[in-house]
Amino acid sequence: MTSVKPKKYWGQHFLTDNSIAEKIVNSLNHYHNYKFVLEIGPGKGILTKYLLLNKNFTVYAVEIDECSVNYLVSELNIDEKKIIKGDFLKLNLNEIFNEQFAIIGNFPYNISSQILVKILKNKSMIPEVVGMFQKELAKRIVSLPGNKEYGTLSVLTQAWYKTEYLFTVNEKVFFPSPKVKSGVIRLQRIDKTDINYDEKLFTQIVKSAFNQRRKTLKNSLSNYNLPSFPNYKTIKDLMPLRAEQLSVEDFIEITMLISS
Ligand code: SAH
């Protein structure tokens, strides 16, 4: 029998509770009717086995650990062709899928923000995500203006996805137990038809504003070419505020004014 010894450097904390695994898989609400689901880091396959029960989509998985890959093939009988042995962060998603797909996973904590950033880069292919993150990061992603947790990742994610915090998972249901609690969130893409602002500039502005989050926008965005104050109502109203007080729409508005 193949065994998989948990490895710390790959963030391996295996979920041991089947009912939680089933609940995570059932959180995909399949609203967009995609035909493929990609699981990141299946490990010993506790989510995978529930995913495979759903015949509405074909399941692929990407796993960096060869021991896990062997285990999934030999013990769970998972089709070898559907398991990509490698690093999700290095995958060229366009080469694997030529249509939309959802993403699911209990993400390895050490790279979970990089996973999110990659999802955002490939958002046109990814209509839905159900993911487990370290609780604190999960809360940051879904956080709204006015909250301490609200930051760059909240704005960049919410510009494209409706975000929902679904439930918290206790550290005791993993082997080995992580030091922190986990949170499961769902992202559902907002299908915008026309994007009338420069996305790259938007990302830069959001990052600059939150890099100096205690400063007013007038100061944190002083390097940008802002239209002069009194003529623009929006600018006048927003500049005395701090980044955490602005909504996604406010950041879009600023982006449009700066590039106009
Ligand atoms: N889904 C499983 C395992 C979660 S632990 C469960 O719920 O029990 C995280 C998994 O991600 C591990 O199997 C680890 O080997 C895998 N992993 C870590 N880094 C990865 C990467 N860069 N690309 C793909 N898989 C990765």
Side-chain angles (χ1 to χ4, degrees), residues 238-251:
L238 297 179
M239 287 302 117
L241 303 179
R242 283 179 287 141
E244 67 188 44
Q245 296 170 285
L246 264 61
S247 67
V248 171
E249 289 68 33
D250 292 335
F251 279 110

Side-chain angles (χ1 to χ4, degrees), residues 168-180:
T168 301
V169 183
N170 195 288
E171 50 273 54
K172 291 199 189 78
V173 297
F174 294 93
F175 179 77
S177 294
K179 290 203 179 71
V180 289

Side-chain angles (χ1 to χ4, degrees), residues 4 7 9-16 21 24 39-48 61-66 68 84-91 104-111 115 132 173-175:
V4 186
K7 299 170 194 80
Y9 47 90
W10 280 329
Q12 293 183 347
H13 297 281
F14 298 120
L15 183 64
T16 54
I24 294 171
E39 184 186 356
I40 303 174
K44 294 171 81 174
I46 188 161
L47 297 183
T48 330
V62 51
E63 172 56 66
I64 203 164
D65 181 7
E66 196 162 3
S68 289
I84 304 150
K85 191 194 152 303
D87 181 347
F88 170 73
L89 298 177
K90 295 194 181 134
L91 277 193
I104 194 165
N106 290 344
F107 300 142
Y109 297 133
N110 46 344
I111 58 161
I115 291 176
M132 187 194 279
V173 297
F174 294 93
F175 179 77

Side-chain angles (χ1 to χ4, degrees), residues 8-9 13 33 37 43 106 130 147-148 159 211 215 236 260:
K8 215 173 162 187
Y9 47 90
H13 297 281
N33 251 343
V37 174
N106 290 344
V130 168
N147 289 297
K148 252 198 350 269
N211 273 343
K215 293 197 176 169
K236 203 172 154 195
S260 65

Side-chain angles (χ1 to χ4, degrees), residues 1-177:
M1 180 165 161
T2 325
S3 71
V4 186
K5 231 173 128 207
K7 299 170 194 80
K8 215 173 162 187
Y9 47 90
W10 280 329
Q12 293 183 347
H13 297 281
F14 298 120
L15 183 64
T16 54
D17 185 316
N18 281 306
S19 63
I20 295 176
E22 190 174 13
K23 197 166 153 192
I24 294 171
V25 168
N26 287 341
S27 299
L28 278 175
N29 69 18
H30 205 227
Y31 173 70
H32 281 81
N33 251 343
Y34 42 78
K35 292 200 208 79
F36 298 95
V37 174
L38 176 66
E39 184 186 356
I40 303 174
K44 294 171 81 174
I46 188 161
L47 297 183
T48 330
K49 65 183 188 198
Y50 289 105
L51 282 168
L52 291 169
L53 296 178
N54 192 324
K55 302 294 173 214
N56 290 322
F57 43 69
T58 305
V59 181
Y60 277 77
V62 51
E63 172 56 66
I64 203 164
D65 181 7
E66 196 162 3
C67 294
S68 289
V69 174
N70 294 339
Y71 179 90
L72 294 165
V73 174
S74 65
E75 305 297 318
L76 292 188
N77 245 336
I78 295 177
D79 179 359
E80 214 165 340
K81 291 195 284 296
K82 304 268 168 54
I83 306 182
I84 304 150
K85 191 194 152 303
D87 181 347
F88 170 73
L89 298 177
K90 295 194 181 134
L91 277 193
N92 184 347
L93 296 169
N94 291 302
E95 273 173 17
I96 303 162
F97 299 105
N98 55 13
E99 58 180 290
Q100 307 214 65
F101 60 94
I103 282 189
I104 194 165
N106 290 344
F107 300 142
Y109 297 133
N110 46 344
I111 58 161
S112 52
S113 15
Q114 288 160 273
I115 291 176
L116 180 63
V117 169
K118 178 154 181 163
I119 289 172
L120 295 176
K121 274 201 187 112
N122 290 280
K123 58 187 178 291
S124 60
M125 298 179 80
I126 307 170
E128 185 173 33
V129 180
V130 168
M132 187 194 279
F133 293 80
Q134 186 173 329
K135 184 180 175 189
E136 186 210 89
L137 178 56
K139 289 277 182 193
R140 270 165 47 202
I141 297 166
V142 306
S143 181
L144 296 173
N147 289 297
K148 252 198 350 269
E149 294 107 341
Y150 184 65
T152 307
L153 279 183
S154 336
V155 178
L156 297 183
T157 309
Q158 291 169 34
W160 292 102
Y161 289 93
K162 175 179 155 228
T163 63
E164 294 163 272
Y165 187 90
L166 301 178
F167 52 90
T168 301
V169 183
N170 195 288
E171 50 273 54
K172 291 199 189 78
V173 297
F174 294 93
F175 179 77
S177 294

